[in-house]
């Protein structure tokens, strides 16, 4: 019985990761659709997901789910968790590929163009929506999906993600509106 619970919890988190990663991808697609008037598939991967949002969402749900009745606390902690995550991710991506996928150099209170106050506030708001509103809905929805389907969907998404990650490690998703080279880092993403 314990092994089934562990397996079920694993797929709970896998599907939550992909829900948050897809929501982040959709957010950025819509943001660029309205600001640049173009469909731009953002991020290192080709698929409809941004792993930084999945990792951040998972981290927030694991660390803050007990605080869901305290949205102001969740807001502040979401900012405090996601801002360093965004900074470290930007640093790693630039060191690995010599490319920036975002640059906040022109924004108020930015740190090396990797993070800024506006981004931190957006992550605070997004984390609050995720933990206080989406997570209770997700928990109910998850239990309604048969275990066989949860496992199948989780395995399928993981396999696609791993294949996409292997391809993207060699050929990351870059180009106009997606990323900026280090010598072009003054551009806003």
């Amino acid at each position: 019985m314990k092994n089934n619970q562990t397996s079920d919890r694993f797929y709970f988190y896998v599907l939550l990761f992909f829900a948050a990663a897809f929501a982040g991808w959709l957010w950025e697609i819509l943001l660029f659709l309205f600001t640049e008037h173009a469909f731009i598939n953002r991020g290192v991967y080709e698929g409809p997901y941004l792993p930084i949002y999945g990792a951040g969402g998972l981290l927030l749900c694991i660390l803050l789910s007990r605080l869901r009745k305290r949205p102001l606390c969740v807001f502040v902690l979401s900012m405090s968790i996601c801002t360093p995550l965004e900074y470290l991710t930007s640093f790693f991506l630039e060191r690995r590929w010599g490319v920036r996928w975002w640059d906040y150099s022109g924004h108020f209170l930015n740190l090396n163009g990797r993070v800024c106050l506006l981004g931190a506030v957006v992550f605070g708001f997004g984390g609050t929506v995720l933990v206080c509103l989406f997570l209770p809905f997700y928990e109910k929805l998850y239990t309604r999906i048969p275990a066989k389907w949860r496992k199948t969907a989780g395995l399928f998404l993981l396999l696609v993600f791993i294949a996409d990650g292997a391809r993207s490690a060699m050929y990351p998703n870059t180009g106009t509106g997606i990323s900026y080279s280090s010598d072009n880092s003054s551009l806003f993403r």
Side-chain angles (χ1 to χ4, degrees), residues 126-162:
T128 305
V129 169
L130 177 73
V131 172
C132 299
L133 300 176
F134 177 76
L135 190 57
F137 168 76
Y138 173 77
E139 289 169 343
K140 289 178 187 170
L141 178 66
Y142 183 82
T143 59
R144 291 185 174 167
I145 301 170
K148 178 181 173 182
W149 287 105
R150 295 188 304 239
K151 184 176 181 178
T152 302
L155 286 173
F156 174 76
L157 289 169
L158 279 173
L159 289 173
V160 168
F161 185 75
I162 290 167

Side-chain angles (χ1 to χ4, degrees), residues 40-115:
I40 300 172
N41 185 18
R42 303 274 306 146
V44 178
Y45 287 67
E46 293 289 336
Y49 38 74
L50 292 173
I52 188 173
Y53 285 92
L58 205 55
L59 199 56
L60 293 179
C61 287
I62 290 169
L63 296 176
L64 305 181
S65 65
R66 284 176 258 178
L67 300 173
R68 71 173 69 157
K69 301 277 190 211
R70 299 176 56 202
L72 184 57
C73 186
V74 171
F75 177 83
V76 171
L77 289 172
S78 293
M79 287 177 52
S80 302
I81 292 167
C82 291
T83 302
L85 176 64
E86 184 177 37
Y87 189 94
L88 292 172
T89 301
S90 172
F91 181 82
F92 169 77
L93 291 173
E94 186 174 4
R95 290 291 181 253
R96 170 67 177 90
W97 285 287
V99 172
R100 279 195 175 200
W101 272 265
W102 61 89
D103 191 330
Y104 300 116
S105 293
H107 285 69
F108 181 65
L109 287 180
N110 78 82
L111 182 59
N112 300 321
R114 298 182 192 287
V115 294

